[in-house]
Amino acid sequence: MKGVFITFEGGEGSGKSSQIRLLSEYLKRTGFDNITTREPGGTDIGKELRKMLLIGDTEKFDAVSETLLFYTDRRLHLTNKIWPAMARGKWVISDRFADSTIAYQYYGHGKRISMEDLESMYRIVAGDFKPDLTIILDIAPEVGLKRSYAKADTMVDKETRFESIGLEFHNNIRNGYLQIAKNNPERCVVLDADKTIEELHKDIIRVVEERFVGKQLDLF
Ligand code: TYD
C-alpha cells in the first residue's frame, strides 16, 4: 500500500470535520494528494447505512446488530474507497474508523459486546491493515455536546441517535478513547480540542510533521 491512512477520532462536537478540512487543504498545498472521507457513510451504500444508524430511536438495534452494521459500512469503505485510493498513492483522511466502534459500542454502552468479538470482526473486515496515525480530539462531553446540538439544529434529518444518550455514555466514550490511546501509543495521539480552530490546526500539523518527517515521506 503506497498511501498513508490517517484517522480522526473523538466524542461529539470535538471539531473533527473542520480539522480534517484544514489538514486536507494544508497537505494539498504542500503537494500531498489526499481524499477525505467518513464513517459511517463513506460509500453509496454506506450513506444508506448511515441513515439507519444515526437517525431514530436509541434502542432500535441490539449491540451485535449495531456493531455488524458499522462493520458492514467499514468493509465497503475499505474495499471501495480507502484501499483503491491508497493503492494509487493517495493519503486518505477519515472522520472516524474502528476506534469509534470500540469507544461507542464497547466502552460507551458498558461493554455490551465483548472485545474478543470486536477483534474478530476487525480481522474479518480489515485483516492486519490499520491506520498509520490516529488523532484523538479530546473534549469534555458537556462542551462537545453543546456544539453538536447547535449543528444538529440546522439538519433536516437529525442524526442525533448517539448524541441523545445520557452524559454517562459520553463520559465512558471519552475515557474509552484515552484507554485506546494508552493501549496503542505508537499509533494514537491525544490532543486537547478545547482550543480555537487555528490553535488546534497547528497542533495537528506538528503531529503530522513529527510522525512522517524523516521517514518514508519527506514532508516539509
Ligand atoms: P459523526 O458524523 O462522526 O458525528 P460527529 O460529527 O457528531 O462526531 O457521526 C457519527 C456517529 O456515529 C457518532 O455519534 C458516533 C457514531 N459511531 C459509532 O457509534 N460507532 C462507529 O463505529 C462509528 C464509525 C460511528
Side-chain angles (χ1 to χ4, degrees):
M1 211 64 86
K2 287 183 288 175
V4 168
F5 185 41
I6 300 177
T7 58
F8 275 73
E9 295 282 355
E12 306 301 325
S14 52
K16 291 179 283 87
S17 40
S18 318
Q19 292 303 332
I20 286 171
R21 186 174 37 78
L22 288 172
L23 177 62
S24 166
E25 285 164 6
Y26 177 83
L27 287 171
K28 277 185 187 149
R29 282 201 305 277
T30 329
F32 289 93
D33 201 8
N34 66 83
I35 61 163
T36 62
T37 184
R38 70 172 175 183
E39 287 194 3
T43 61
D44 288 343
I45 299 172
K47 288 193 181 95
E48 299 301 313
L49 292 169
R50 182 178 174 95
K51 283 187 210 151
M52 283 193 235
L53 282 161
L54 303 192
I55 299 171
D57 177 39
T58 331
E59 296 294 330
K60 71 178 179 181
F61 298 117
D62 67 87
V64 173
S65 326
E66 183 169 292
T67 307
L68 286 168
L69 284 173
F70 277 115
Y71 264 102
T72 305
D73 172 74
R74 186 158 301 135
R75 174 72 189 176
L76 290 164
H77 195 203
L78 284 166
T79 56
N80 296 359
K81 196 169 186 181
I82 297 173
W83 287 338
M86 289 182 73
R88 294 198 305 276
K90 282 184 194 287
W91 290 46
V92 177
I93 309 170
S94 185
D95 188 339
R96 301 192 180 281
F97 189 64
D99 294 318
S100 282
T101 314
I102 300 177
Y104 281 71
Q105 278 65 48
Y106 178 74
Y107 287 112
H109 273 313
K111 308 182 183 176
R112 282 192 210 158
I113 184 157
S114 76
M115 186 55 85
E116 222 180 16
D117 285 346
L118 280 178
E119 282 170 358
S120 306
M121 285 184 210
Y122 188 95
R123 242 190 332 276
I124 292 167
V125 165
D128 54 16
F129 173 79
K130 39 178 202 189
D132 297 292
L133 169 66
T134 296
I135 296 175
I136 297 172
L137 300 186
D138 179 56
I139 191 126
E142 292 87 342
V143 179
L145 283 167
K146 220 180 267 169
R147 290 184 187 169
S148 191
Y149 272 118
K151 191 167 105 190
D153 270 348
T154 64
M155 289 180 184
V156 181
D157 292 321
K158 300 211 181 312
E159 294 177 341
T160 51
R161 220 183 121 234
F162 292 99
E163 274 96 333
S164 61
I165 306 175
L167 199 57
E168 190 191 346
F169 174 69
H170 293 282
N171 278 318
N172 289 345
I173 290 167
R174 184 186 198 189
N175 293 329
Y177 273 125
L178 297 178
Q179 192 58 48
I180 292 170
K182 219 185 229 172
N183 296 343
N184 300 276
E186 71 302 330
R187 174 172 67 82
C188 297
V189 174
V190 179
L191 294 178
D192 176 4
D194 197 359
K195 292 190 171 180
T196 66
I197 291 182
E198 260 318 305
E199 279 171 335
L200 187 54
H201 176 56
K202 281 193 190 132
D203 291 347
I204 290 169
I205 296 298
R206 204 171 309 124
V207 168
V208 170
E209 187 177 351
E210 271 167 21
R211 282 286 156 139
F212 299 110
V213 86
K215 297 203 177 141
Q216 77 274 33
L217 300 151
D218 204 11
L219 231 188
F220 300 91

